[in-house]
Amino acid sequence: MAKEKVLIYKRFERFWHWAQALLISLLALTGFEIKGSYSLLGFESAVSLHNFSAVALMILIVFSIFWHLTTDEWRQYIPTYKNLSAQLKYYTSGIFKGEEHPVKKTVRRKMNPLQVLSYLGLKLVLVPLLVFSGIFYMSYRFTSGGQLMSFTPFTLEDIAFWHVLGAYLLVQFTLIHMYMTTTGHTVTENLRAMLTGYEDLEVEEQEPREELDKNLQTN
Amino acid sequence: MKKNLVIIIGLNIVLALAIRWAYNVELSMNRQESMSEVLKKKYGQKSLPATDHSKFEILQKKFDTPQAVTQACISCHTERHKEVMESNHWNWEREEYIEGRGVTYLGKSNLLNNYCIGASSNEQACAKCHIGYDFESTPNFYKKEENVDCLVCHDNSGEYMKGGGLAGLPAGTVDLGASARHVGNPTKESCGSCHFYSGGGNNVKHGDLEEAQTDCSREVDVHMASQGVDMSCVDCHSADKHNIKGKLYSVSSANKNRAECQTCHGELPHESEALNTHTAKVACQTCHIPSYAKANATKMSWDWSTAGKLKDGKPYSEDDSLGNHTYMSIKGSFTWAKNVTPEYVWFNGTADHYVLGDKVDTLKAIKLNELFGSYSDGKIMPVKVHRGRQPYDPVNKTLIQPFTYAKEKGKGAYWKDFDWQKASEIGMKEVGLPFSGEVTFPKTEMYWPVNHMVSPADKSLSCADCHTNSPTGRLANLKGFYLPGRDGHSGVDFFGKWLLILSCIGLVGHAGLRILSGLKSKQA
C-alpha cells in the first residue's frame, strides 16, 4: 500500500492540543507551587497564574467539546476492545522485536484502542475531577455585589485532596503521553504530525463512516 | 469555513482577555484614589473647637483643689459627669455575658493580670490611672461627682499629670487653672498618659500603644503618623455619652461596642478578590500589623518568683543594654522584645477571664484571659502573649491578690517588706478570700489582641508568610483548618510521589529496552 501525506490533525485540533499542553504545564507548575512542593514564582503570582490558566483551560474545553460534537470527531473516542490486547502485547513485547503496529492509523481512526481508552478516561474522569474540584476550590469563597459569599458543600481539605490526587494522575498521564509519542514509525513522527497536521499514512480504501461504526459495534 | 471559525474563536478570546485586563486596571485606579482620599478627608482634617474655654470667667480664678475644677465644669456641663459615672472608666467594671458564667461584672476591681497583678488593696498607686480623685474602693466613693477627673482626659495644655501614689490626685506641680482654661477633645497624650504607661512604664503592657505614637513615621503607625493622616485616638475610639467605643480583652469579654477597622474601611476593602475573600477568616490586623513594639521594646514575660533578692538589705534593679529593667527586687525578672512577631489565635470576639476566687490547677499555664474562637466562628487574630509566674495559693487553688504598695515599711506591702505571706494575707483579706499561708508561683498567660501600629499597605504580610510549609510560617502552629501551601494529605502525597517515580522508572526502562533491541537499526 502506498504512503501518502494526509492531513490528520486539523488546525483547531492542533491549536487545541498545544494550547492545552501549555495551560496544563502552567497549571502543574503553579499548582504544585501553591501546594507547597517548591518555590518558584512566589505564592501570589502562582495563584494568579493558576487561576488564569484554569479559566482559560475551561474556555478551551468548552470550545473543544463544541468542536468534537459539531465535527463528529467525538466518534474517535468510541471505545473498542478489538485489538486491545494486541496493542498491549505490542507495547510490552512486540515493540522490542521491531514488529509492526497492530492497528493501522487512519484519519477516521486516529487512535489505537489503548489510546481510545486512555483518552476517554482522561476526558470523562480525570479532567472532570480536576475541573470540578477546581471550581469548588475557586468558589469556596468569593465576592459578589460587595458581599462575601461561600459555596461550601465540601470542606477545603476534601476539595484539595481530590484536586491534588487528580493533579498527580494528570502529571503521570502527561509523562506517559509524551513518551508514547516516540513510539511511532520514527521517534519524532507523531510529534511532527501534531505540529504540522500532516502524517504519512498508508492510504486504505476509504470506508464509509457508517460502515466503520457498524464494524465497531459488531466487535 | 473551519479556518474562519478558528479565527473568530481566537479573536474572541483575545478580546475577552483584553476587556478583563482593562476593566481591572480601571477599577484598581479608581479605587486607589477614592479610598485613601475619602479617608484622609474624613479623618485627616482637624476641626476647630466650638468654644474657647480660656475666655470663660469661671475658669479665671485660682483653683486650690482639683475637685473645685470639676465643680466649675459641672456648673456648665450639668449632666456630663453622670455619663462619666456610668462608664467603665469610672466604675472599673462593666456588665458582661460570658459563656459558662452568665452575666458578670468584670473590671480592674475583680480581675487579675500577670504584670502588677491587681489593683485591689493597692488603689493608692493604681488609681494613678483612674479617672477619679481620692480613689477608694468603697461604694460611697463611686457616687461623689466632684471626684470625676475631667482634666485627665480633656486637658489640652499637655501640663496635667497625675501624681504617683496619690490615689488619683494630680501631681502637686500642676497648674489647675491653666489646665482648666485649655480643655478640649482628648489628645493622643491624654489617652496615652494612662494607656501608654500601663504596667509601670512605656509600652510595658500593650506592645502596640506607646509614647512613640504621638510623633511617629507611617512605618510605625500608618494612622497616627505625624507625617501621615495624624489621627488621634478618639477618631476611632469615638464616644457616645462618654461611653467610649472599643475595649481590650484583658478586661473585656463580650463582642459589643468594638472599635473596628471595617467602620472606616468597609468589609471588603481590597482591590483583589483573593484578598477580600480572606476577610472571612482573617482579621485585618493579622496581615496589616506584621510586628508590634516597633519603636520601643515591650515586656514579654514577668517572673514574680525571683522577686525579693536584696543587696546589702536593699532592693535593687538590673537593666539590659536598651535600659529596660531585667530585674527588680520589688517585681522579679522580666524579658523584653522589640519588633515582635505576634502569635496567632482564632478569636470570635468573646473572652473569659480569671476572676478573683476562681479555683484553677497548675498543670498547664493558667490563662488569665482566654480568647474564645475557632475556625467555625472566629477569625485569625494577632496577639501579644505575656507569660509570667505569679503568686498562687496551692491549698485553696486560687491566684493571689497581694498587697504590694504602701508608702512606708512595716505595713506588710510587698514592695516595702518583701514578705509574700504577709502581703498575700493582707491582699486576700481585702478582697474577702481565704489564704492558706502557702505561696507558689505557677505559670500564667495573658492574651493581648494587637490592634495598633498598623503598617503601610506595602509592608503588610504577603501570601507566603502564611501559605508555606516552613516551620517558621506565621500560621505554622494554628490548627483546625486546611491552609493551602501549608497543609496536604500525606496519603495522597505518598501515592503521588511514588506514582511519578515508578512511572519514570518504567518509562526509562521501556526506552532502554527499545534502544537495546535495536530500534535505531530498524529506523535506518
Side-chain angles (χ1 to χ4, degrees), chain B residues 232-339:
Chain B
S232 85
C233 310
V234 292
D235 286 333
C236 297
H237 297 276
S238 54
D240 178 31
K241 299 186 180 70
H242 277 94
N243 181 17
I244 296 170
K245 192 185 245 192
K247 62 222 185 118
L248 195 64
Y249 287 88
S250 52
V251 287
S252 302
S253 314
N255 191 6
K256 60 180 184 191
N257 198 29
R258 294 171 72 183
E260 290 175 313
C261 314
Q262 292 91 323
T263 309
C264 298
H265 293 279
E267 295 286 339
L268 303 170
H270 308 96
E271 296 156 29
S272 148
E273 160 100 2
L275 291 182
N276 277 336
T277 56
H278 278 71
T279 61
K281 290 293 160 194
V282 184
C284 312
Q285 294 91 321
T286 295
C287 299
H288 292 282
I289 312 177
S291 69
Y292 62 90
K294 291 181 193 168
N296 293 298
T298 185
K299 203 169 272 189
M300 298 306 293
S301 73
W302 182 325
D303 182 355
W304 279 93
S305 71
T306 61
K309 287 184 255 179
L310 303 175
K311 270 183 189 164
D312 308 323
K314 282 184 183 149
Y316 67 99
S317 63
E318 287 166 358
D319 292 356
D320 66 12
S321 57
L322 295 169
N324 299 308
H325 292 311
T326 52
Y327 180 76
M328 287 174 87
S329 300
I330 60 168
K331 293 178 174 179
S333 320
F334 316 117
T335 58
W336 297 76
K338 213 180 132 175
N339 280 320

Side-chain angles (χ1 to χ4, degrees), chain A residues 11-12 34-36 43-44 52 63 71 91 95-96 98 137 140-143 146-148 156-157 160-161 164-165 168-169 171-172 175-176 179 182-183 185-187, chain B residues 2-3 6 9 13 17 268 273 276-277 279-281 375 463-464 467 469 482 484-485 487 489 492-493 495-497 499-500 503-504 507 510-511 513-514 517 522-523:
Chain A
R11 190 190 290 260
F12 174 79
I34 293 165
K35 205 191 115 6
F43 191 87
E44 192 171 2
F52 176 87
F63 278 116
T71 58
Y91 284 132
I95 192 168
F96 305 122
Y137 214 137
Y140 190 71
R141 284 191 215 293
F142 58 98
T143 59
Q147 289 277 304
L148 191 59
L156 197 56
E157 191 164 7
F161 173 91
V164 172
L165 179 68
Y168 277 119
L169 289 169
V171 170
Q172 188 214 23
L175 284 176
I176 296 174
Y179 173 73
T182 67
T183 61
H185 292 108
T186 69
V187 172
Chain B
K2 270 173 199 148
K3 198 171 164 185
V6 171
I9 291 167
I13 293 174
L17 293 176
L268 303 170
E273 160 100 2
N276 277 336
T277 56
T279 61
K281 290 293 160 194
Y375 175 78
C463 312
H467 292 282
N469 48 26
Y482 184 88
D487 298 327
H489 188 281
V492 168
D493 287 336
F495 165 80
K497 195 176 82 181
L499 180 75
L500 297 186
S503 299
C504 286
L507 295 182
H510 197 270
L513 279 176
R514 274 168 68 200
S517 65
K522 183 183 163 260
Q523 273 176 13

Side-chain angles (χ1 to χ4, degrees), chain B residues 13 51 76 95 103 166 195 372 423 433 453 470:
Chain B
I13 293 174
T51 311
C76 289
E95 187 184 86
V103 175
L166 294 178
H195 294 280
F372 291 136
L433 288 172
M453 291 196 177
S470 152

